[in-house]
Amino acid sequence: MLGEGILQGLAETAKNFAGSFVSKERLTTVQYPEERIAPIENTRDFPILIYDGNDPMAGLRCVACQICEKECPPKCIYIVKSTDKKPDFVGKMQIYPTRFDIDISVCMSCQICVEVCPFEAIKMDTEFELSTTDRFGGLLYDREQLSKSNEHYHKIHPTEAAEVDARLAEEKAKAETKAKAAAEAAAAKAAAAAAAPPTPAAAPVAKVAPAKEPGA
Amino acid sequence: MSLSSQFDQIFVLLQHWIEGFFPQSLQPAVGAVVAVVAIVATFPAIFAVTTVLERKGLGRIQNRLGPNRVGPLGILQPVADGIKSLTKEDIVPRSADAVVHFLAPVVLVVAIFLGYAVLPVGRNMVLMNMDAGLLFFFAIGASTELSIFMAGWSSRNKYSLLGALRAVAQMISYEVPLLLSSVVAVMITGSLSTVKIVEAQSGFTGIFPHWYVFTPWGFAGFVLFVIAALAETNRSPFDLPEGESELVAGYFTEYSGFKFALFFLGEYLGMFSIAGFAITLFLGGWGAPFSFLGFVPSWAWFFFKLLAAIVFFIWLRGTLPRLRQDQLMNFAWKFMLPMTLLNILVAGAWRFLGEGWSRWVICSLVLLCAYVLLGRILMRHQRLGPRSYRYAE
Ligand code: SF4
Ligand code: SF4
């Protein structure tokens, strides 16, 4: 009949109204600042830079390759390369970012930077309470603010971090065996050319092409 | 005077007592001022309470808690809202017509307050007992359209202007069935005076009252009046003028701060006054629903009924989705208008068929048939199914 749907709807909303007083399960509201729901593991919002060890600036995994800067759709990453080098986690000398800024007021949390980074250096954080009184400077995060320890990463995304660590360890092991083999070969060569005048022992650095992360 | 009737007249006595302090010649003016102050204080207070009730009620309907932070159970929320809207920046667009832009919300609120002048909120409690009270209310009510158009026009923004045109089109379309549906009460009472209309419904048969809503034409008139009133006050499901998803508040897009709050206030005050008129016309005004409940003061009955109407409006808002503009117009002109016209005929027939059960059967049958037929015809043209988008692909 005509108008029956309206009556059914009214009955339904009345049931909801009364039900919310009777059963607590109906109310899905969380009284936010006091009560919180733990974020699910795949929660993500803004990128952070991962460092190993205790010193954020020394342990930064980022090698300033600028891939993320190029790939970021809204172009909110700004990187300045260093002129000197420091060893990365396998001991290879790499440049590092002297500046690494992300404007999180522009960042759209797409995670593309994470997916393109070949060095497992940039990851997504779960921190969302980022309000500030300065909407320009306060939302431009620099290197220091962005760097978070590997432990923090393990805490927020345990599965993903374990995977990443396993891969890095494998890479490191591979690099070490390669270096050892290269050193042995060099030593053998040196022994074979014993008659020849001694050349300065150049320890060749293993050329490591890190495996591209298939994406978290 | 007995105690209960004294209680019934407590506000009238209070008014006379205040008047007593002034010389004879000033007394009518002072009495009017007191009554105006009472109206201007009472209804905005109800507005404040209603905003919390509405937010809480809608929350509960959606299985949320609603406001619960400011004060115990969130009842101080309107205070916080008021402070917020007062301290907000008042932005007027540079190209706007500043005077008209400022006047629009003022005109709206003033026009709506004027409507309260003829609303009887209790026995002997009406600001102006006008012979053409109902006419006055509708005439004043029509000027809210003017204020809406002022708002849309003076903003110098085409979206505001289009929003205003939409709103005005809607309000004018529903003004017609609103007026026509109230005509039946006037026909049967034989007077345009709101006080007389209430008095005509104040008798009892056994314990049941003589409210117009308990007759076939009265019931139909009441339902039609309520639908038209919802549209007239931009209440859901007819809240197209402010449609958040399509327009973001059409005609008052360019308003902020307290002027915006005034539009909000005007909307709610309009809802109260029109609900008050629905009560006056069809629900016996300040009359008690049963003869043995006569000891409860008349004004209390009025406000109980008003509260019930507000609760019903909130309930409806939590239930129905918003209409589309073409559905809205079709409904007004193809369903509401024929039904109200027919209802006038039915009311006339009721008057001349005389006492007896036959008029009950005839009038009910006519209205029911018309309802079913009109409904069917309207439904037949409604093509429901997957939508095809011609332009936005
Ligand atoms: S998450 Fe997306 S938008 Fe944000 S910095 Fe990374 S690539 Fe840019
Ligand atoms: S892609 Fe990774 S390593 Fe390269 S600059 Fe970005 S964060 Fe650093």
Side-chain angles (χ1 to χ4, degrees):
Chain A
M1 251 303 280
L2 311 146
E4 195 193 60
I6 295 180
L7 295 182
Q8 272 174 2
L10 284 174
E12 190 62 33
T13 45
K15 215 156 62 196
N16 265 358
F17 181 82
S20 69
F21 286 101
V22 188
S23 79
K24 276 269 170 280
E25 295 94 76
R26 269 175 177 275
L27 289 175
T28 50
T29 322
V30 172
Q31 298 287 303
Y32 160 61
E34 299 98 49
E35 245 177 85
R36 281 152 192 274
I37 313 176
I40 55 166
E41 210 189 311
N42 287 340
T43 311
R44 66 178 206 219
D45 38 56
F46 295 110
I48 47 171
L49 296 174
I50 306 293
Y51 66 86
D52 298 304
N54 295 324
D55 181 7
M57 286 312 110
L60 222 49
R61 289 181 187 169
C62 176
V63 299
C65 68
Q66 292 182 307
I67 295 175
C68 56
E69 188 185 29
K70 286 193 194 87
E71 294 292 332
C72 172
K75 297 273 172 274
C76 61
I77 302 181
Y78 177 71
I79 298 171
V80 174
K81 290 195 230 176
S82 65
T83 44
D84 56 333
K85 293 190 173 185
K86 66 179 180 63
D88 69 357
F89 71 102
V90 292
K92 188 184 166 193
M93 294 309 277
Q94 298 272 23
I95 52 168
Y96 58 92
T98 51
R99 249 185 104 174
F100 196 114
D101 293 344
I102 294 182
D103 189 347
I104 63 163
S105 67
V106 176
C107 170
M108 59 184 186
S109 312
C110 64
Q111 204 177 330
I112 286 177
C113 49
V114 175
E115 278 162 27
V116 298
C117 177
F119 297 91
E120 311 288 0
I122 190 164
K123 296 290 168 196
M124 298 302 270
D125 204 356
T126 53
E127 181 58 51
F128 56 90
E129 287 153 319
L130 305 166
S131 54
T132 163
T133 48
D134 175 9
R135 66 182 158 137
F136 302 108
L139 291 171
L140 184 70
Y141 279 25
D142 62 14
R143 201 161 65 124
E144 277 75 19
Q145 283 162 294
L146 286 169
S147 53
K148 294 274 171 73
S149 67
N150 198 18
E151 283 77 62
H152 173 79
Y153 179 39
H154 269 278
K155 214 161 65 202
I156 57 175
H157 300 303
T159 320
E160 195 189 281
E163 209 181 295
V164 166
D165 269 10
R167 194 159 48 229
L168 287 180
E170 196 186 309
E171 256 170 46
K172 196 167 178 177
K174 230 192 310 183
E176 267 164 13
T177 46
K178 217 169 164 190
K180 221 158 57 204
E184 271 166 18
K189 216 167 157 193
T199 48
V205 181
K207 205 121 186 95
V208 187
K212 193 177 179 302
E213 188 201 346
Chain B
M1 228 190 261
S2 75
L3 194 67
S4 83
S5 73
Q6 221 164 15
F7 199 49
D8 186 17
Q9 295 298 303
I10 183 161
F11 293 112
V12 182
L13 295 175
L14 201 67
Q15 190 190 10
H16 288 320
W17 179 71
I18 295 173
E19 277 176 33
F21 291 106
F22 294 89
Q24 194 79 43
S25 58
L26 279 179
Q27 277 189 6
V30 171
V33 168
V34 170
V36 167
V37 168
I39 287 174
V40 171
T42 311
F43 286 94
I46 299 178
F47 160 69
V49 176
T50 306
T51 53
V52 197
L53 285 184
E54 174 146 34
R55 288 169 65 182
K56 277 183 160 301
L58 289 179
R60 288 291 177 171
I61 282 172
Q62 298 157 0
N63 291 325
R64 294 184 286 110
L65 285 174
N68 60 353
R69 289 305 173 102
V70 193
L73 291 172
I75 49 172
L76 293 182
Q77 189 67 41
V79 180
D81 288 345
I83 293 171
K84 183 181 157 202
S85 67
L86 272 174
T87 52
K88 269 201 163 179
E89 189 183 2
D90 178 28
I91 301 165
V92 180
R94 194 183 301 158
S95 60
D97 188 333
V99 177
V100 183
H101 191 266
F102 171 78
L103 278 180
V106 178
V107 168
L108 179 74
V109 172
V110 168
I112 282 166
F113 267 125
L114 281 177
Y116 284 102
V118 289
L119 183 65
V121 293
R123 196 177 278 119
N124 304 330
M125 282 167 69
V126 61
L127 185 60
M128 254 192 312
N129 185 1
M130 239 193 246
D131 280 340
L134 209 56
L135 205 60
F136 173 79
F137 172 71
F138 286 122
I140 285 295
S143 59
T144 53
E145 273 101 307
L146 174 71
S147 74
I148 282 172
F149 196 71
M150 280 163 73
W153 178 259
S154 65
S155 296
R156 289 281 194 280
N157 169 340
K158 46 182 162 309
Y159 302 107
S160 295
L161 183 60
L162 285 175
L165 284 176
R166 273 166 64 118
V168 170
Q170 168 183 342
M171 293 177 104
I172 289 179
S173 302
Y174 278 89
E175 193 91 45
V176 180
L178 184 77
L179 263 156
L180 290 179
S181 61
S182 59
V183 164
V184 287
V186 178
M187 279 168 71
I188 300 294
T189 317
S191 170
L192 274 167
S193 156
T194 48
V195 176
K196 288 233 179 64
I197 291 172
V198 173
E199 271 163 10
Q201 302 177 64
S202 58
F204 289 96
T205 307
I207 58 164
F208 298 107
H210 288 169
W211 295 357
Y212 287 158
V213 71
F214 297 129
T215 58
W217 53 268
F219 182 72
F222 175 66
V223 173
L224 293 168
F225 188 89
V226 168
I227 295 173
L230 283 171
E232 194 64 10
T233 51
N234 305 336
R235 284 288 298 184
S236 174
F238 303 106
D239 53 352
L240 283 103
E242 61 184 65
E244 304 93 328
S245 42
E246 313 103 74
L247 288 170
V248 194
Y251 61 89
F252 49 79
T253 309
E254 301 292 358
Y255 282 87
S256 54
F258 202 68
K259 284 188 208 151
F260 181 83
L262 274 186
F263 273 111
F264 206 62
L265 174 76
E267 203 157 283
Y268 274 81
L269 288 180
M271 175 178 118
F272 300 151
S273 80
I274 218 153
F277 272 87
I279 292 165
T280 303
L281 289 172
F282 298 104
L283 294 180
W286 37 258
F290 295 111
S291 56
F292 54 83
L293 288 174
F295 63 91
V296 180
S298 56
W299 42 268
W301 280 123
F302 181 84
F303 285 108
F304 277 146
K305 288 174 189 172
L306 190 63
L307 188 70
I310 292 168
V311 167
F312 178 69
F313 283 171
I314 295 174
W315 186 8
L316 216 53
R317 180 170 176 189
T319 305
L320 296 180
R322 186 176 295 138
L323 287 180
R324 223 169 42 215
Q325 189 78 15
D326 61 325
Q327 294 170 330
L328 178 97
M329 287 295 163
N330 277 342
F331 192 63
W333 296 105
K334 291 187 186 163
F335 181 81
M336 296 289 284
L337 194 64
M339 280 305 280
T340 46
L341 287 173
L342 184 78
N343 200 28
I344 291 175
L345 285 182
V346 168
W350 175 274
R351 184 101 199 232
F352 295 110
L353 279 175
E355 295 287 330
W357 57 269
S358 64
R359 64 175 183 178
W360 281 85
V361 176
I362 293 171
C363 293
S364 314
L365 271 181
V366 169
L367 284 170
L368 202 65
C369 289
Y371 172 65
V372 172
L373 277 177
L374 269 179
R376 282 282 141 82
I377 292 167
L378 271 184
M379 294 297 265
R380 204 179 54 209
H381 292 297
Q382 211 177 63
R383 277 177 231 100
L384 298 174
R387 279 199 211 168
S388 61
Y389 293 96
R390 267 177 300 162
Y391 307 110
E393 199 75 71

